[in-house]
Amino acid sequence: MISPKPNFSQMSVQELRRYVLAHRDDEEAWQEFTNRERPNAIYFDKDMSLSEQETKLQELLQDEC
């Protein structure tokens, strides 16, 4: 018996991540996972150099301590 696919849009990011890791060939799950917003993500201007990005990340890490 084939089990039905879960409703990916109702899964939390953590649940969806676990599902994607367990079902790496499921393109639909992967699309849902990559299209999700990440509220804690840090974005940099595309023109910012890698060294500037690294400096900013180091500053953010120090602020958390």
Side-chain angles (χ1 to χ4, degrees):
M1 175 189 260
I2 298 175
S3 60
K5 272 195 174 185
N7 186 338
F8 302 125
S9 63
Q10 292 182 344
M11 292 177 142
S12 69
V13 172
Q14 293 81 12
E15 291 170 326
L16 188 54
R17 179 180 179 273
R18 283 192 298 268
Y19 182 89
V20 168
L21 288 173
H23 303 88
R24 293 175 186 261
D25 293 333
D26 191 330
E27 190 64 32
E28 183 182 349
W30 178 249
Q31 287 298 318
E32 176 67 27
F33 183 72
T34 57
N35 289 333
R36 288 277 180 100
E37 287 190 30
R38 303 290 195 270
N40 296 330
I42 299 169
Y43 297 97
F44 294 109
D45 184 23
K46 65 180 181 177
D47 297 326
M48 185 181 286
S49 72
L50 198 54
S51 62
E52 288 177 290
Q53 291 178 28
E54 185 176 348
T55 301
K56 295 268 187 198
L57 286 171
Q58 288 296 332
E59 290 171 1
L60 289 169
L61 288 173
Q62 288 175 358
D63 289 345
E64 286 187 11
C65 296

